[in-house]
Amino acid sequence: LVAVACWILNNNLQDHRDIVLYCIQFVYIWAGLAMTMRYAARFNDDDGAHAVIWSLYQLLLLCLLEGLSASSTFQHFKLSNLFQIAAIALFGFLAVGFWLRIVIFLPRARPFALALAAVCFIHSGISALAGSFSELRGILLVLFCVIALSTDALLVCGMRLTHGNSLEMLHQFDLP
């Protein structure tokens, strides 16, 4: 699916020459993938629950890619309705299906997982607002990109502020 996303993005850029739309769509795809990579690197398992949540994630990612190809005809921050609905659902599902599970079942990793669940809810909310307020769409989508690209840096700074430089914290959260 990642290869398909890159192919669609590149075709859209070649056809429409809208670099801003390309960057926004790329960050949406990248943010969703980055959240699942953060989860898989620390908490993935081979049980039935994980099989179900990964399947649902792939379905939502597929819907996002379908919306991505539908939004290729729009210009100036205009994303398709399917893309926006899929983005809202994808990031809401990442928050609940992936990160809130960790908050509930793994108390030791609660601050880390809660921070990432909050970021997913913020992404979902920004996606909803961008669909509702067309005059603020550009600002909201740039805000989405800034939050998505700064998540790791903010997370590392927050964990270091709350836990210091203890070796246990560094190993627990895989922080540099």
Side-chain angles (χ1 to χ4, degrees):
L1 292 177
V2 175
V4 171
C6 293
W7 183 76
I8 292 170
L9 284 170
N10 288 335
N11 280 344
N12 290 349
L13 181 62
Q14 187 177 23
D15 292 344
H16 303 288
R17 307 275 187 225
D18 190 349
I19 191 72
V20 175
L21 183 63
Y22 174 86
C23 291
I24 289 170
Q25 291 172 336
F26 174 81
V27 172
Y28 264 90
I29 300 295
W30 175 82
L33 293 173
M35 279 294 169
T36 56
M37 286 185 273
R38 286 182 194 103
Y39 179 86
R42 293 168 177 85
F43 308 111
N44 199 20
D45 204 354
D46 290 332
D47 63 350
H50 278 92
V52 170
I53 64 171
W54 282 109
S55 297
L56 288 172
Y57 166 74
Q58 290 174 352
L59 179 66
L60 289 170
L61 184 60
L62 192 60
C63 290
L64 191 69
L65 294 180
E66 182 62 32
L68 186 66
S69 61
S71 67
S72 67
T73 59
F74 297 104
Q75 300 291 321
H76 307 295
F77 301 110
K78 181 76 171 120
L79 302 173
S80 73
N81 289 336
L82 177 60
F83 185 86
Q84 289 175 330
I85 291 168
I88 293 165
L90 178 74
F91 287 106
F93 177 72
L94 287 173
V96 174
F98 285 78
W99 295 112
L100 287 183
R101 285 183 75 241
I102 299 303
V103 169
I104 293 167
F105 296 116
L106 220 67
R108 200 174 96 170
R110 192 166 283 151
F112 173 76
L114 197 56
L116 290 172
V119 169
C120 287
F121 280 129
I122 289 169
H123 287 329
S124 187
I126 289 174
S127 300
L129 289 174
S132 302
F133 300 103
S134 59
E135 62 277 356
L136 298 175
R137 183 174 290 129
I139 294 168
L140 290 169
L141 294 175
V142 169
L143 178 64
F144 177 95
C145 294
V146 168
I147 292 170
L149 295 173
S150 63
T151 298
D152 288 329
L154 293 173
L155 187 63
V156 169
C157 292
M159 290 299 171
R160 286 199 181 271
L161 286 173
T162 57
H163 291 86
N165 286 326
S166 71
L167 286 176
E168 179 186 343
M169 186 273 306
L170 294 175
H171 292 294
Q172 182 178 346
F173 298 110
D174 292 333
L175 298 180

